[in-house]
């Protein structure tokens, strides 16, 4: 049994138990993020009139609305189409699975302008998908659906990879038991792996939404209008100067932080099933 | 429900089931044994419908169900770790199958309540399964599997994660359930005691093929294959050749000496001699020979204390493992390096002709 003096003794920082050797290089990265936030926040807070004018500007408000709404639509489409794809990838034993995985990852490695070009060529009014969908009344060029299409395209790998990892953690034995108890494959999917992957689905949705609302190059190539927030910041940077664009950027950061915080708070218990905690 | 597996083959990665055949009679308890990696769980999952077979067929009461999905086979499945749904409470776990089969809510509640009560799970009904003990988890898994009233249960080492006391009482419970519900059970096990206690039939497989099947006592006393001998508890398996028989029996030549074996075997045939460690007697070399057959001299290599007594490694013309019961050991006190004499009764040696090792019920030539 250890004595009280021993148990209260402080470990020296250089002992093998310290994480300092890992924290030091890691904090360089964290420091860069904090610095980047400060260079936006300090000038804005010093001249709050720019912030007030940006907050009251109906164009800014509309750009936020369009961006966030388009982001939610993109996440909705990803949830509907990406969740089954993630499950199929996590369970498939096909030799072609690697090929599909590579295709899913392509938007991750492409320059955003190339992704924008692809989206434009696909969804423009004479595009492979744009032309037939245009006949059905769905227009993408300089329209809200174009923004959503660009956001979906660039966010696919973020959502699919996060959710696929979640499905991969569900033991296949649980699914086998559910089938033996009378569940068809679809009912088994809805009753066992889907609820057990809630946490990864939410995390994937958050990643995809964050990536979607931040997209600039791919969005402006298909839809300069209606203006999304990243387009507006770039426009104001060129026409109104740094101070004007800084104020909008600060608002965006603030809103995102609040939304991320609310999201994490609301989902902190999602996917946790334990009487003891 | 009678389950038939007829020449079933399938490949999973680098492992294959090759022409597996076995029959699980209705309302019987069959224990499937074999070393790790033998393909026992894969066979169980294949019967359950989780893998597509490439050859052969699986029948239930004579009907070919090879292409049926798992939900249409009506077979319950319990895994070694019980695979309880962690996002559902005990009650929800048990009612899962009834919900999937769209049993009306009132009937569902009644069935679940009956099962909770008979498995002593009522106080745990609202608990999530993550914090249950091994025995509680097993009861939930069995209640869940039985809720949909399957005629057959496939159990993958259901007792291996339990402590000895719980294990023993759970075995009794499962055997009682089998009788009460008239279940056909196929269970994977590594444990001979489980097979003796539960099984009407034992099937031994290795490397994707069935080696031997039959009554537990028959399979364990008359193994037809080296792997079966090992599973049957024969610690000593010696490879040698038979000589010409005389009045006393058949000589089996191993390590340059002849051991007399009961029964007649073809002359000059390569065989495996299987001898249990506790069937070998040990004495000091200064004690006069009593004239009995199969007396071999050598020395003690090492000694290990066990629950039953002492396990001794002997080296002479061939190495042997000898078990000395606890009640004999204190009077003897052997030491490593000591010269000793072992004697083996001819009736305690079981010979397996190597050319006749049975695989899938067919003699390998």
């Amino acid at each position: 049994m250890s004595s009280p003096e021993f148990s209260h003794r402080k470990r020296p920082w250089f002992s093998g138990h310290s994480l300092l050797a890992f924290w030091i290089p890691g904090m360089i990265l964290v420091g860069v993020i904090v610095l980047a936030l400060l260079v936006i926040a300090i000038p804005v807070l010093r001249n709050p009139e720019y912030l007030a004018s940006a907050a009251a500007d109906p164009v800014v408000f509309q750009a936020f609305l369009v961006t966030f709404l388009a982001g939610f639509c993109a996440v909705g489409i990803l949830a509907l189409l990406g969740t089954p794809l993630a499950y199929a990838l996590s369970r498939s034993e096909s030799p072609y699975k690697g090929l599909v995985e590579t295709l899913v990852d392509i938007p991750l490695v492409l320059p955003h302008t190339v992704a924008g070009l692809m989206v434009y060529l696909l969804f423009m009014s004479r595009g492979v998908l744009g032309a037939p969908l245009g006949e059905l009344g769905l227009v993408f060029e300089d329209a809200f659906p174009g923004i959503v299409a660009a956001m979906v395209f660039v966010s696919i790998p973020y959502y699919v990879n996060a959710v696929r990892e979640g499905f991969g953690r569900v033991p296949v034995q649980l699914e086998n038991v559910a089938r033996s108890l009378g569940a068809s494959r679809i009912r088994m999917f809805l009753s066992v792996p889907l609820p057990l992957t809630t946490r990864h689905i939410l995390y994937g949705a958050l990643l995809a939404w964050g990536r979607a609302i931040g997209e600039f190059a791919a969005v402006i190539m298909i839809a300069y209008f209606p203006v999304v927030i990243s387009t507006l910041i770039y426009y104001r940077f060129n026409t109104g100067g740094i101070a004007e664009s800084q104020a909008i950027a600060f608002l965006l950061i603030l809103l995102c932080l609040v939304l991320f915080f609310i999201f994490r708070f609301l989902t902190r218990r999602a996917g946790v099933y334990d009487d003891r905690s | 429900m009678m389950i038939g597996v007829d020449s079933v083959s399938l490949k999973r990665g680098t492992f294959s089931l090759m022409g597996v055949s076995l029959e699980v009679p209705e309302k019987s308890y069959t224990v499937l044994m074999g070393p790790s990696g033998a393909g026992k769980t894969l066979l169980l999952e294949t019967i359950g419908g989780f893998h597509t077979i490439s050859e052969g067929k699986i029948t239930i009461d004579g009907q070919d169900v090879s292409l049926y999905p798992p939900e249409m086979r009506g077979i319950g499945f319990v895994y070694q770790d019980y695979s309880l749904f962690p996002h559902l409470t005990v009650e929800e776990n048990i009612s899962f199958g009834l919900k999937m089969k769209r049993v009306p809510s009132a009937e569902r509640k009644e069935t679940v309540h009956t099962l909770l009560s008979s498995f002593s799970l009522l106080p745990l009904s609202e608990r999530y399964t993550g914090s249950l003990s091994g025995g509680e988890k097993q009861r939930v898994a069995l209640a869940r599997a039985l809720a949909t009233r399957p005629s057959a249960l496939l159990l993958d080492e259901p007792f291996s994660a339990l402590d000895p006391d719980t294990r023993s009482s759970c075995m009794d419970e499962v055997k009682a359930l089998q009788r009460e519900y008239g279940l056909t059970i196929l269970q994977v096990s590594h444990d001979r005691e489980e097979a003796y206690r539960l099984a009407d039939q034992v099937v031994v497989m290795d490397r994707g093929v069935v080696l031997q099947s039959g009554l537990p006592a028959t399979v364990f006393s008359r193994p037809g294959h080296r792997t079966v001998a090992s599973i049957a508890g024969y610690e000593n398996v010696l490879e040698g050749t038979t000589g010409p028989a005389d009045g006393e029996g058949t000589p089996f030549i191993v390590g340059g000496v002849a051991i007399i074996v009961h029964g007649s075997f073809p002359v000059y045939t390569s065989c495996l001699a299987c001898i249990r460690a506790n069937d070998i007697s040990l004495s000091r070399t200064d004690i006069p020979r009593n004239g009995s057959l199969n007396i071999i001299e050598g020395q003690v290599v090492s000694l290990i204390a066990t629950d039953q007594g002492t396990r001794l490694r002997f080296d002479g013309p061939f190495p042997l493992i000898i078990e000395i019961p606890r009640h004999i050991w204190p009077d003897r006190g052997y030491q490593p390096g000591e010269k000793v004499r072992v004697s083996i009764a001819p009736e305690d040696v079981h010979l397996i002709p190597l050319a006749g090792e049975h695989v899938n019920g067919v003699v390998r030539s």
Side-chain angles (χ1 to χ4, degrees):
Chain A
M1 193 188 286
S2 61
S3 68
E5 297 90 320
F6 183 81
S7 60
H8 285 103
R9 199 180 295 163
K10 218 174 167 184
R11 286 172 183 156
W13 68 270
F14 50 82
S15 76
H17 301 287
S18 172
L19 285 173
L20 210 63
F22 300 92
W23 275 118
I24 290 171
M27 286 313 280
I28 293 172
L29 288 179
V30 177
V32 170
I33 295 172
V34 171
L35 263 180
L37 286 171
L38 289 177
V39 294
I40 291 266
I42 291 170
V44 171
L45 293 172
R46 272 192 188 152
N47 301 298
E49 65 273 17
Y50 282 106
L51 186 62
S53 120
D57 187 344
V59 177
V60 174
F61 177 76
Q62 202 189 336
F64 269 118
L65 198 67
V66 168
T67 310
F68 285 7
L69 206 62
F72 285 126
C73 289
V75 168
I77 292 169
L78 282 172
L80 277 177
L81 305 177
T83 310
L85 173 63
Y87 180 71
L89 285 174
S90 80
R91 291 293 182 259
S92 170
E93 290 171 7
S94 162
Y96 304 109
K97 188 173 93 164
L99 178 68
V100 180
E101 283 172 334
T102 308
L103 289 172
V104 166
D105 283 340
I106 278 184
L108 206 63
V109 294
L110 286 179
H112 292 193
T113 42
V114 177
L117 197 63
M118 286 170 143
V119 171
Y120 179 70
L121 292 171
L122 263 182
F123 290 98
M124 65 180 184
S125 53
R126 287 170 290 116
V128 179
L129 295 174
L133 289 169
E135 282 180 23
L136 297 170
L138 201 59
V139 178
F140 290 88
E141 267 182 86
D142 282 332
F144 185 78
I147 299 170
V148 175
M151 286 180 169
V152 167
F153 188 77
V154 297
S155 316
I156 290 170
Y158 292 87
Y159 182 81
V160 173
N161 289 339
V163 179
R164 182 187 55 186
E165 200 196 316
F167 284 129
R169 286 173 184 230
V170 177
V172 80
Q173 286 87 341
L174 292 183
E175 300 183 2
N176 288 347
V177 168
R179 298 289 304 272
S180 77
L181 291 168
S184 64
R185 192 176 260 286
I186 298 290
R187 287 196 84 193
M188 174 277 292
F189 170 74
L190 296 173
S191 316
V192 180
L194 191 66
L196 285 174
T197 313
T198 311
R199 216 174 172 76
H200 283 84
I201 290 174
L202 292 172
Y203 178 64
L206 183 71
L207 275 184
W209 186 78
R211 177 72 191 81
I213 63 160
E215 185 52 36
F216 170 59
V219 170
I220 57 160
M221 291 182 91
I222 182 87
Y224 197 93
F225 294 104
V227 172
V228 292
I229 204 70
S230 50
T231 312
L232 186 67
I233 292 171
Y234 184 69
Y235 174 75
R236 292 285 168 91
F237 177 75
N238 284 325
T239 57
I242 290 179
E244 224 175 281
S245 57
Q246 255 177 341
I248 305 171
F250 182 74
L251 270 181
L252 177 67
I253 292 166
L254 215 59
L255 264 172
C256 286
L257 278 177
V258 170
L259 281 171
F260 278 28
F261 179 76
I262 293 172
F263 179 86
R264 288 210 182 269
F265 180 77
L266 291 177
T267 60
R268 72 196 185 285
R269 299 283 304 156
V272 178
Y273 310 102
D274 196 337
D275 304 311
R276 293 164 296 187
S277 58
Chain B
M1 179 187 278
M2 189 183 83
I3 299 170
V5 178
D6 187 5
S7 308
V8 163
S9 297
L10 81 111
K11 197 167 162 40
R12 297 280 297 170
T14 55
F15 187 82
S16 303
L17 288 183
M18 291 172 289
V20 172
S21 294
L22 65 95
E23 198 169 276
V24 184
E26 190 171 8
K27 297 181 184 178
S28 74
Y29 203 124
T30 298
V31 169
L32 185 59
M33 301 185 81
S36 297
K40 307 180 294 292
T41 300
L42 182 61
L43 177 60
L44 224 61
E45 288 182 337
T46 305
I47 295 170
F50 309 131
H51 305 293
T52 310
I53 59 176
S54 53
E55 275 174 49
K57 64 177 178 180
I58 291 166
T59 59
I60 291 175
D61 291 332
Q63 190 186 355
D64 188 351
V65 297
S66 309
L67 298 175
Y68 283 24
E71 63 269 26
M72 286 179 68
R73 299 197 182 192
I75 300 176
F77 205 107
V78 176
Y79 274 105
Q80 184 176 6
D81 63 356
Y82 311 124
S83 293
L84 300 176
F85 304 129
H87 59 303
L88 303 179
T89 63
V90 167
E91 189 174 350
E92 288 165 341
N93 261 278
I94 296 172
S95 69
F96 184 90
L98 299 168
K99 213 169 158 185
M100 292 300 123
K101 289 183 182 286
R102 301 181 199 281
V103 173
S105 174
E107 192 186 326
R108 202 162 71 211
K109 276 183 184 159
E110 196 188 319
T111 309
V112 171
H113 188 271
T114 310
L115 282 164
L116 282 169
S117 167
S118 58
F119 279 85
S120 309
L121 290 168
L122 273 173
L124 307 173
S125 64
E126 297 301 317
R127 289 258 301 271
Y128 283 114
T129 56
S131 57
L132 301 180
S133 71
E136 288 165 348
K137 281 182 181 170
Q138 201 216 31
R139 296 211 302 275
V140 177
L142 284 170
R144 180 179 66 177
L146 292 173
T148 52
R149 295 241 158 217
S151 308
L153 272 187
L154 304 175
L155 310 176
D156 187 5
E157 296 192 59
F159 310 113
S160 62
L162 303 174
D163 63 80
D165 288 344
T166 317
R167 197 165 150 257
S168 177
S169 62
C170 283
M171 273 195 259
D172 290 340
E173 281 173 28
V174 171
K175 189 70 184 171
L177 279 174
Q178 190 231 348
R179 293 199 183 108
E180 187 188 334
Y181 287 78
L183 290 166
T184 305
I185 293 182
L186 176 59
Q187 183 203 313
V188 167
S189 175
H190 274 113
D191 193 301
R192 217 165 40 249
E193 188 205 327
E194 267 176 42
Y196 272 122
R197 200 159 154 181
L198 300 168
D200 304 310
Q201 180 189 219
V202 166
V203 177
V204 183
M205 66 183 295
D206 190 20
R207 296 178 195 177
V209 295
V210 169
L211 302 174
Q212 195 172 347
S213 61
L215 294 170
T218 311
V219 171
F220 295 148
S221 63
R222 316 290 304 164
H225 191 279
R226 187 194 296 265
T227 306
V228 184
S230 165
I231 283 168
Y234 284 95
E235 294 87 347
N236 301 291
V237 180
L238 309 166
E239 198 168 332
T241 314
T242 53
D246 59 19
E248 290 176 319
T250 303
F252 175 74
I253 296 64
V254 53
V257 298
I259 302 173
I260 303 300
V261 178
H262 274 180
S264 67
F265 295 87
V267 185
Y268 308 125
T269 306
S270 289
C271 288
L272 295 173
C274 309
I275 311 158
R276 290 189 195 278
N278 55 12
D279 284 338
I280 303 172
S281 307
L282 191 72
S283 61
R284 290 209 160 86
T285 44
D286 51 5
I287 296 170
R289 295 172 72 122
N290 58 9
S292 62
L293 294 170
N294 301 336
I295 291 181
I296 301 138
E297 290 189 357
Q299 63 175 7
V300 175
V301 176
S302 63
L303 303 131
I304 302 165
T306 65
D307 282 350
Q308 287 75 37
T310 300
R311 178 162 284 212
L312 185 146
R313 281 190 179 277
F314 164 90
D315 196 28
F318 43 84
L320 286 170
I321 292 170
I322 302 163
E323 192 90 40
I324 305 170
R326 191 176 292 279
H327 65 275
I328 294 177
W329 177 250
D331 300 329
R332 301 285 169 92
Y334 295 103
Q335 296 298 322
E338 192 177 341
K339 298 278 180 208
V340 288
R341 197 180 278 155
V342 300
S343 82
I344 304 162
E347 62 270 23
D348 291 333
V349 184
H350 170 66
L351 275 199
I352 306 171
L354 269 177
E357 279 186 298
H358 287 66
V359 174
N360 280 346
V362 177
V363 177
R364 203 171 67 187
S365 56

